[in-house]
Amino acid sequence: MNVRTLLLSLAISAAIAVNASASERRFTYTYESGVLARGQVELEPRTTFRLGKEDYYARIDERVEFEVGLSNRLQTSFYLNMKSVTAKADSSLQTDFEFEGISNEWKLKLRDPVADPFGLALYFEWSASTNAVELETRVIADKRSNNFLFAFNAGVEPEWEFQVESGTDEVNAENEITFEFNLAGAYFVHPSTSVGLEVRNHNLYAQDGGYQHSALFAGPVVSYSSPTWWATLTVLPQIAKLKGSQADAGSHLVLSELEKLEVRLLFGIDL
């Protein structure tokens, strides 16, 4: 085998490896630039456990995603969103279930994390329920080098919640904006298995009250993939309050609107 044939074989092998792993997510909060190949379809359930406030609090967010590759650079997906919350009410615990509406995601891949100096993608998602509308935009950057994978996201998420003003029939839209920054790194201990760390900075700005809070989360992530399915788990405790509202004055964490611990599990199943 001459050098030219060897290089061509290596290039083809690398391309196959990149395409095979494009649907896998190695992080649960931090997105990567990869998209599904054209015509590829995947079912992706996502479960997030949110645990702990000043009093007893447990919440499960469930999102069921149907994902479709439209081209080698563009994918879309549709979600059904649900949540269940158990919290202290007076002297007892109360559990409420809520269907939170639907979502639609679009992701456009601009650069590849292996073939280019770094991967780059743009992400857009809209969500709608009977009383709220939410938009999310992200810039996604990542890099795969040998057994290491790094990713960074910067996101803005405005939300409008519709409420009836007390004592009137007038409906008002309350607006708040979430700014989030995610940083993640993983090491592949095996081609199918990676371990790493995710860091998340969550910030909230309210139309009426201004800059509300900023919290820092960090924790381990582990991922496994097979030819037909993959799974990724992140354990993400809140580790610091960078800014809190008056309701958080007595705590080193933001517990008025966030939780002490989040645990997220993603599954991807080829259809």
Side-chain angles (χ1 to χ4, degrees), residues 117-129:
F118 62 92
L120 183 65
L122 300 178
Y123 177 98
F124 173 77
E125 179 185 322
W126 63 266
S127 301
S129 65

Side-chain angles (χ1 to χ4, degrees), residues 156-182:
V156 180
E157 188 176 332
E159 179 182 2
W160 295 267
E161 184 174 352
F162 304 102
Q163 296 183 350
V164 177
E165 186 174 342
S166 178
T168 71
D169 293 330
E170 184 178 351
V171 177
N172 294 324
E174 295 189 358
N175 174 236
E176 62 181 31
I177 303 176
T178 298
F179 299 92
E180 188 157 307
F181 304 94
N182 303 81

Side-chain angles (χ1 to χ4, degrees), residues 186-200:
Y187 177 77
F188 287 81
V189 297
H190 185 272
S192 65
T193 308
S194 65
V195 294
L197 177 72
E198 285 199 77
V199 180
R200 173 184 174 224

Side-chain angles (χ1 to χ4, degrees), residues 5-271:
T5 303
L6 177 61
L7 292 176
L8 180 61
S9 300
L10 291 175
I12 293 173
S13 299
I16 293 173
V18 171
N19 288 332
S21 62
S23 67
E24 300 161 7
R25 288 188 55 182
R26 296 294 176 172
F27 313 110
T28 66
Y29 289 85
T30 311
Y31 287 79
E32 301 155 62
S33 63
V35 297
L36 295 180
R38 181 177 181 179
Q40 188 175 357
V41 179
E42 187 173 88
L43 181 66
E44 190 177 302
R46 182 174 91 180
T47 304
T48 304
F49 300 90
R50 305 176 188 270
L51 305 171
K53 291 194 175 185
E54 292 292 351
D55 295 318
Y56 181 89
Y57 184 89
R59 169 175 166 175
I60 298 177
D61 292 344
E62 188 68 40
R63 304 189 77 185
V64 180
E65 177 184 5
F66 182 76
E67 199 168 77
V68 181
L70 301 179
S71 74
N72 290 333
R73 290 185 175 271
L74 181 66
Q75 74 176 35
T76 189
S77 61
F78 299 89
Y79 297 83
L80 295 177
N81 306 310
M82 297 153 281
K83 75 175 181 181
S84 177
V85 179
T86 299
K88 185 177 179 181
D90 297 326
S91 58
S92 62
L93 295 179
Q94 180 176 328
T95 299
D96 296 310
F97 176 83
E98 182 180 347
F99 175 69
E100 291 198 303
I102 61 173
S103 302
N104 174 221
E105 165 200 312
W106 295 82
K107 185 162 69 166
L108 176 64
K109 178 181 176 180
L110 302 175
R111 302 171 67 96
D112 187 85
V114 177
D116 297 316
F118 62 92
L120 183 65
L122 300 178
Y123 177 98
F124 173 77
E125 179 185 322
W126 63 266
S127 301
S129 65
T130 54
N131 67 338
V133 175
E134 185 177 309
L135 304 177
E136 180 182 352
T137 58
R138 287 181 184 237
V139 176
I140 301 168
D142 59 353
K143 179 59 182 176
R144 175 71 188 267
S145 178
N146 297 322
N147 290 329
F148 290 94
L149 173 65
F150 301 97
F152 171 77
N153 296 177
V156 180
E157 188 176 332
E159 179 182 2
W160 295 267
E161 184 174 352
F162 304 102
Q163 296 183 350
V164 177
E165 186 174 342
S166 178
T168 71
D169 293 330
E170 184 178 351
V171 177
N172 294 324
E174 295 189 358
N175 174 236
E176 62 181 31
I177 303 176
T178 298
F179 299 92
E180 188 157 307
F181 304 94
N182 303 81
L183 180 65
Y187 177 77
F188 287 81
V189 297
H190 185 272
S192 65
T193 308
S194 65
V195 294
L197 177 72
E198 285 199 77
V199 180
R200 173 184 174 224
N201 173 224
H202 182 278
N203 305 269
L204 179 65
Y205 181 90
Q207 181 181 11
D208 296 333
Y211 189 21
Q212 298 294 297
H213 64 244
S214 178
L216 188 65
F217 295 77
V221 57
V222 59
S223 179
Y224 173 80
S225 65
S226 76
T228 57
W229 65 273
W230 56 268
T232 304
L233 175 70
T234 303
V235 179
L236 206 66
Q238 186 182 160
I239 61 173
K241 175 183 72 176
L242 305 182
K243 175 180 173 55
S245 64
Q246 187 63 34
D248 300 308
S251 173
H252 69 286
L253 302 176
V254 177
L255 299 178
S256 57
E257 297 188 58
L258 302 175
E259 294 76 35
K260 296 178 182 179
L261 175 67
E262 295 189 14
V263 179
R264 178 170 291 176
L265 176 64
L266 289 182
F267 275 107
I269 305 167
D270 292 340
L271 299 179

